[in-house]
Amino acid sequence: MGRVGKKALSTAGEDYLKVIWTAQEWTDKPVTVSALSAHLGFSASSVSEAVKKLAAQGFLTHARYGSVALTAEGEQAAVNMVRRHRLIETFLVDYLGYGWDEVHDEAENLEHAVSDKMVEALALRLGNPVRDPHGDPIPARDGSLPPLEAAKLSQSETGRRLRIARVSDDSPELLRYLGGIGLGLDAELSIVDRQAYAGTLTLERSGDRVELGLPAAEAIWVVPA
Ligand SMILES: [Zn+2]
């Protein structure tokens, strides 16, 4: 239950704030009730109900038929959940031998259960990491975010040496697939060719070539190697 101020924030409420915050992290598009309902798989009416409640509690604002935005208080609560989530994911991979495709659901449950004390103990034991197993930046305790200047692989230049800095953790199957073809975090590669009409990229990594469909490439963010 809620850790922010005196207001009770339910587990569902915490998830909503985190989903809104994360949506803003990946896209510039405004977050709407229908987008949230599609993402969460809940009906528009139950999302609308939850949004109304969180707005009444002061965690977000909602323009009628418009976009949903976090207030300063909502932002703080969301960043706190994101920090928990990403530290737990890091712990599961670094200490418990989980694969990067296996940690999301586990962290989704644990992030609501652990105390602030445990989260900080975890951060300390992990050496205050700045990114999680998917390359997602881990907010610091004060809510600040480490900078990440990555670009989408799908929009990167051909021929340049690149390093994978971040991979969307939306799909465990995709993470498994990418890991299986050697496209994990920090893997170096370059784009050899793009087949725009076939919707594929030909990549070179550690001396051999691999074809990647654009939907998969969209999930990968790179920096110059
Ligand atoms: Zn992650």
Side-chain angles (χ1 to χ4, degrees):
M1 291 297 278
R3 278 164 293 268
V4 177
K6 293 144 253 108
K7 283 176 198 156
L9 192 52
S10 65
T11 296
E14 290 177 334
D15 280 336
Y16 272 104
L17 298 180
K18 193 186 61 176
V19 165
I20 295 165
W21 189 91
T22 312
Q24 290 168 345
E25 192 183 23
W26 288 98
T27 153
D28 297 328
K29 284 191 209 130
V31 181
T32 60
V33 166
S34 56
L36 284 173
S37 130
H39 181 89
L40 294 162
F42 301 153
S43 73
S45 63
S46 63
V47 172
S48 166
E49 196 62 37
V51 162
K52 211 179 286 175
K53 192 176 167 195
L54 288 165
Q57 288 179 299
F59 291 112
L60 49 83
T61 58
H62 182 214
R64 205 165 171 79
Y65 304 116
S67 57
V68 175
L70 297 170
T71 60
E73 204 176 351
E75 176 95 22
Q76 198 192 330
V79 166
N80 177 38
M81 291 316 289
V82 170
R83 174 169 167 78
R84 289 166 164 260
H85 185 96
R86 294 179 180 172
L87 282 169
I88 291 166
E89 285 191 341
T90 307
F91 172 70
L92 292 172
V93 168
D94 288 6
Y95 279 81
L96 301 186
Y98 279 63
W100 72 339
D101 56 316
E102 299 174 309
V103 291
H104 184 80
D105 289 350
E106 204 88 80
E108 207 59 23
N109 291 321
L110 288 170
E111 69 192 20
H112 303 288
V114 296
S115 67
D116 284 335
K117 180 180 174 176
M118 186 173 157
V119 171
E120 293 319 315
L122 209 51
L124 202 61
R125 174 56 63 95
L126 293 167
N128 291 306
V130 293
R131 63 172 195 175
D132 80 0
H134 312 110
D136 291 327
I138 300 177
R141 199 177 174 177
D142 66 5
S144 63
L145 275 166
L148 182 69
E149 309 269 319
K152 275 191 175 180
L153 174 63
S154 59
Q155 288 160 15
S156 297
E157 247 174 89
T158 305
R160 263 180 103 184
R161 204 69 200 145
L162 305 165
R163 184 164 53 78
I164 298 181
R166 190 177 191 187
V167 180
S168 162
D169 64 359
D170 263 0
S171 159
E173 291 80 19
L174 180 59
L175 289 172
R176 221 154 22 240
Y177 174 70
L178 293 174
I181 58 171
L183 297 178
L185 209 56
D186 292 330
E188 290 192 10
L189 55 91
S190 53
I191 302 174
V192 177
D193 197 12
R194 17 174 124 243
Q195 297 79 28
Y197 297 106
T200 55
L201 295 177
T202 305
L203 306 175
E204 183 278 318
R205 52 114 188 72
S206 34
D208 52 32
R209 293 185 173 198
V210 60
E211 299 248 307
L212 196 66
L214 278 177
E218 285 286 319
I220 299 176
W221 293 66
V222 292
V223 291

